Amino acid sequence: MTEHRVLIVDDEAPARDRLRRLLEAIEGCRVCAEAGNGTEALEKAAEHRPDIVLMDVRMPGMDGMDAARELTAQATPPAVIFCTAYDDYALSAFRVDATDYLVKPVRREALASALSRAGRVNRPQSRQFAPEDNPAIVVRNQAGVERVELDRLYYASADNKYVTLVHDRGETLCDYSLRELEQAHGEHLLRIHRHTLVNRRYLEALTRTQSGHQAQLSDPAGTRLRVSRRHAGSVREHLQG
């Protein structure tokens, strides 16, 4: 069995000790070094060449986000798993190609699952083999952090204060606005109504009815969604293109 070298990065020694104890109970992982901030993490990573980095976010000096950004930009980057007390950095974490995002107190089962995923070819490394990434919308909910991969998302619909993501596993509520989703993933999501974004890959046809235009999706349900007059032209242009 391959043993993965793990670098623990946290500015609090008790937090590092706890992660070390958790790792000792997980087969296939070995702590190769520890660091107390982002700058030290880069130094330790260059010295020990870890396969996986467990990274805190808020640290003095260089924080975890900046350190992760530099690590994942390397030619052969380690997989980065964020372990933090704050749940509001999840979207930023996946924008720097983090493999996973765990909220403290980290449970052994959640850590083992994240390490298992990270032990496979991680997202930055996979670019050497795949023509494009597999981006996702990162959602915080009562269960923790959920990733809704864009290639599985059919459409996003706004209703009152929440946005519902409709995908192949069901529906997920999120607190991002449609505008935020459109700005972050405009190459994948197309505005068809002030209340609706659709995934371009599932947009199949534009039809006209007595009440106006409708978008036909290629999802299993054969969903039809209202298209506003304002956005009908961009839908037609996308289909023709």
Side-chain angles (χ1 to χ4, degrees), residues 1-5 27-30 51 119:
M1 180 178 182
T2 302
E3 185 177 64
H4 299 295
R5 301 182 306 279
E27 187 178 3
C29 292
R30 174 178 61 86
D51 302 300

Side-chain angles (χ1 to χ4, degrees), residues 156-159 161-165 172-178 181:
S157 176
D159 182 15
K161 62 179 296 187
Y162 292 105
V163 167
T164 300
L165 306 177
T172 300
L173 287 178
C174 73
D175 55 5
Y176 301 123
S177 68
L178 289 182
L181 293 175

Side-chain angles (χ1 to χ4, degrees), residues 12 14 24 124 228:
E12 297 182 357
E24 288 174 351
S228 68

Side-chain angles (χ1 to χ4, degrees), residues 192 203 205-209 211-216 224-227 235:
I192 66 169
L203 183 55
L206 177 68
T207 60
R208 189 178 185 90
T209 67
S211 59
H213 289 91
Q214 287 188 337
Q216 172 71 53
R224 292 178 179 270
L225 299 169
R226 180 184 174 189
V227 178
V235 173

Side-chain angles (χ1 to χ4, degrees), residues 101-116:
Y101 187 96
L102 305 178
V103 178
K104 297 176 181 177
V106 175
R107 295 179 294 106
R108 186 175 67 86
E109 295 78 7
L111 179 59
S113 178
L115 290 167
S116 177

Side-chain angles (χ1 to χ4, degrees), residues 188-229:
H188 298 278
L189 304 177
L190 178 67
R191 174 84 66 166
I192 66 169
H193 191 276
R194 66 190 180 96
H195 294 305
T196 315
L197 296 173
V198 299
N199 192 331
R200 296 172 185 267
R201 69 181 297 172
Y202 293 106
L203 183 55
E204 188 170 63
L206 177 68
T207 60
R208 189 178 185 90
T209 67
Q210 291 183 342
S211 59
H213 289 91
Q214 287 188 337
Q216 172 71 53
L217 303 190
S218 60
D219 62 322
T223 302
R224 292 178 179 270
L225 299 169
R226 180 184 174 189
V227 178
S228 68
R229 182 182 302 176

